[in-house]
Amino acid sequence: MTDNPMVELAAAAGVATIPFDYDNEVGGSAAAETFIEGIFDEALDADNPEGRPLSELLPPTLSPDQQWVISVEVGGEFGADPAQIAMAAPDEGEDMQGGDVLLNPGYSQITDHIAQGLDIRLNWTVTNIAYDDAGVTLTSASGQSLRADHAIVTLPVGVLHAGSVSFSPPLPEEKTQALGALHSGLLDKLWLAFDEVFWDPNVDVINWIDPVNPGQWPFWVNGYKIYGEPILLGFNSGDIARQFATMSDEQVVASAMAAVKGMTA
């Protein structure tokens, strides 16, 4: 992996990494993958790719295979549907080259590493950020305040949209307009643990084209190859994930199990 600052940070923290190969897969459709690659190429050559949705380039009717690959390559990558991202989006991240790795056991090792020596305030919910030429004052939900020369605000877009943190004075119009044009993606994950492995233990990814709902549960990560445990990790994104958010846990698990049975039959 090159040009990814997380690589050097993980090495400095002594984090173990596990190689992960998206091409080490079963299922799916090679023709559909060729289809989406063509759409991405066309998007990058289009006029005003930053201001036009990717959905403009899609045919009015999609085959099940095409719906599947859109869920994988668009939904899985951006947590959004083609109408919600610009044609320029597929080019993001192309400056980072090389293979992929997973962190073992997870990202907490990196946050623990960079937190060393810092004054971390947990359960200190910021409700107001007041700023002027002299500095910044943060006010918490409990009424406490903290003064600093500068503040780096990395609040999620959804939190900023909700208005749960106010700014004094209000943010400039150009920032609020930019914020209004940004939206949060949605990528849901579901871990399923089993008593034993009943799928191909040597692949990294298992693709699934549901014959009835081809965009649902489109790909699964083989946890056995990573952790040595009989685990599968499934994904849903965009509007499909929002539909699942209205279901009970039992309904979601039942849908996932139907997909697992179908892809391992």
Side-chain angles (χ1 to χ4, degrees):
M1 299 178 66
T2 60
D3 300 319
N4 187 336
M6 291 297 295
V7 174
E8 293 184 6
L9 190 55
V15 179
T17 58
I18 302 173
F20 189 86
D21 184 1
Y22 284 97
D23 292 329
N24 180 24
E25 60 183 346
V26 293
S29 165
E33 292 178 359
T34 299
F35 158 78
I36 199 64
E37 289 172 3
I39 294 295
F40 287 167
D41 289 342
E42 187 178 352
L44 297 179
D45 292 334
D47 294 331
N48 187 27
E50 293 84 5
R52 298 167 60 194
L54 185 65
S55 56
E56 285 188 13
L57 300 178
L58 298 178
T61 302
L62 296 169
S63 70
D65 287 10
Q66 290 169 341
Q67 292 180 59
W68 161 77
V69 80
I70 289 171
S71 289
V72 173
E73 299 294 344
V74 178
E77 188 72 21
F78 302 101
D81 300 308
Q84 299 167 327
I85 65 170
M87 293 183 187
D91 196 41
E92 292 183 2
E94 290 300 313
D95 53 332
M96 297 183 187
Q97 301 298 317
D100 294 286
V101 297
L102 302 178
L103 304 183
N104 187 19
Y107 274 94
S108 61
Q109 297 172 99
I110 289 183
T111 55
D112 290 345
H113 172 72
I114 62 178
Q116 295 179 32
L118 299 180
D119 179 12
I120 305 294
R121 310 276 180 102
L122 301 178
N123 298 316
W124 209 92
T125 305
V126 175
T127 57
N128 179 262
I129 302 174
Y131 61 99
D132 53 32
D133 292 339
V136 182
T137 299
L138 309 180
T139 303
S140 73
S142 62
Q144 295 176 292
S145 63
L146 181 66
R147 184 71 179 174
D149 293 333
H150 304 280
I152 300 174
V153 181
T154 60
L155 292 170
V157 170
V159 173
L160 292 171
H161 280 169
S164 53
V165 178
S166 60
F167 291 83
S168 304
L171 292 175
E173 183 178 358
E174 62 268 20
K175 291 189 181 297
T176 58
Q177 288 180 345
L179 179 60
L182 292 174
H183 300 278
S184 299
L186 180 59
L187 179 65
D188 281 348
K189 303 176 182 179
L190 178 68
W191 298 83
L192 295 178
F194 300 92
D195 294 330
E196 60 183 6
V197 176
F198 52 89
W199 56 89
D200 188 336
N202 299 312
V203 298
D204 287 289
V205 175
I206 304 172
N207 295 299
W208 168 239
I209 304 177
D210 191 301
V212 178
N213 300 294
Q216 291 184 5
W217 308 109
F219 69 103
W220 296 74
V221 169
N222 174 19
Y224 178 76
K225 187 171 183 292
I226 302 168
Y227 305 111
E229 299 289 341
I231 296 171
L232 288 173
L233 171 60
F235 297 83
N236 280 306
S237 62
D239 287 342
I240 291 176
R242 293 182 181 88
Q243 293 172 14
F244 275 99
T246 66
M247 301 180 184
S248 67
D249 289 349
E250 292 76 14
Q251 290 173 317
V252 173
V253 171
S255 174
M257 285 302 301
V260 170
K261 291 178 181 178
M263 70 187 190
T264 57

